Amino acid sequence: LPAPSRMFGQPKTKNSGVNFAHEGPLLSIVAEKDFVMSGGVDGVIKLWRMESAPGSACARTYLGHKGGIWCLTIGKHIYDDNEILILISGSADSSVFIWNIWGPKGARPIIKFEGHFGGITSVCFVPCRAQVVSGSEDTTIRIWTLTKGLCETVLEGHSHAVTSLVPWAQTVAGVSYDVIFSTSRQ
């Protein structure tokens, strides 16, 4: 038997029995212990509390992207001398936004990264270096620093869109290795 699923969002029409979390398809999702965040083709990111009743309205909405939200990830970061939970979003509009998840409702991104020439297909966070890594349809990978808000490195080598990224850090025999694994459509 399939596992039970959880529906988020209000019914589209009264008594329709169908819940819609976004205006259009859902493109990305990320979960933490007590909440789920979703990104849609509508360019909107929504936070859903797990303790809320099925079909309930979202708890928060994050606006700012001009294209669909293709990827999301969550991490912890020191910002203004406080540790905050951040959301990293990548969009079809070629931008990467950093959000303070529990910042004021209606707040804008705390950092915006722009420089890719295609939609953002994957993002990951490297907390020990305070870096965000983004992969794009433009076939490049960019490494951004949260402390300076700048692109530190552009990695080239894929001949097709980057589809996923995974950071890996390990110390072997006293030597530290920091690696970003990537895949593409090639």
Side-chain angles (χ1 to χ4, degrees):
L1 292 173
S5 63
R6 172 76 198 251
M7 300 284 291
F8 292 99
Q10 297 290 327
K12 188 71 170 175
T13 59
K14 191 172 184 172
N15 300 320
S16 71
V18 178
N19 288 349
F20 290 89
H22 289 268
E23 292 296 324
L26 181 67
L27 300 176
S28 56
I29 193 163
V30 65
E32 274 291 307
K33 181 175 73 173
D34 58 351
F35 65 90
V36 173
M37 299 187 81
S38 59
V41 73
D42 55 6
V44 176
I45 300 166
K46 295 184 177 186
L47 182 142
W48 310 88
R49 293 193 180 274
M50 294 304 290
E51 74 268 6
S52 62
S56 62
C58 70
R60 288 176 176 249
T61 301
Y62 304 81
L63 302 171
H65 282 292
K66 294 180 178 116
I69 310 301
W70 287 357
C71 48
L72 299 168
T73 195
I74 293 173
K76 291 181 181 174
H77 177 61
I78 302 297
Y79 182 77
D80 285 342
D81 296 323
N82 297 307
E83 184 178 81
I84 63 170
L85 200 58
I86 59 170
L87 172 71
I88 303 162
S89 58
S91 173
D93 67 10
S94 304
S95 67
V96 176
F97 288 0
I98 313 301
W99 310 82
N100 179 351
I101 291 177
W102 301 117
K105 285 188 177 184
R108 303 311 251 172
I110 57 174
I111 301 171
K112 296 180 183 182
F113 295 131
E114 296 174 328
H116 279 288
F117 297 102
I120 308 302
T121 53
S122 185
V123 291
C124 67
F125 182 51
V126 184
C128 62
R129 295 189 175 272
Q131 293 173 325
V132 170
V133 183
S134 57
S136 172
E137 286 184 317
D138 68 10
T139 74
T140 66
I141 297 168
R142 291 181 181 257
I143 301 174
W144 311 87
T145 176
L146 287 175
T147 54
K148 296 177 187 170
L150 301 171
C151 179
E152 293 181 337
T153 306
V154 178
L155 302 173
E156 299 176 339
H158 287 291
S159 58
H160 292 80
V162 176
T163 55
S164 63
L165 299 166
V166 176
W168 182 79
Q170 200 69 278
T171 301
V172 179
V175 178
S176 294
Y177 297 92
D178 293 320
V179 177
I180 301 293
F181 292 103
S182 63
T183 62
S184 75
R185 294 186 184 135
Q186 57 197 48

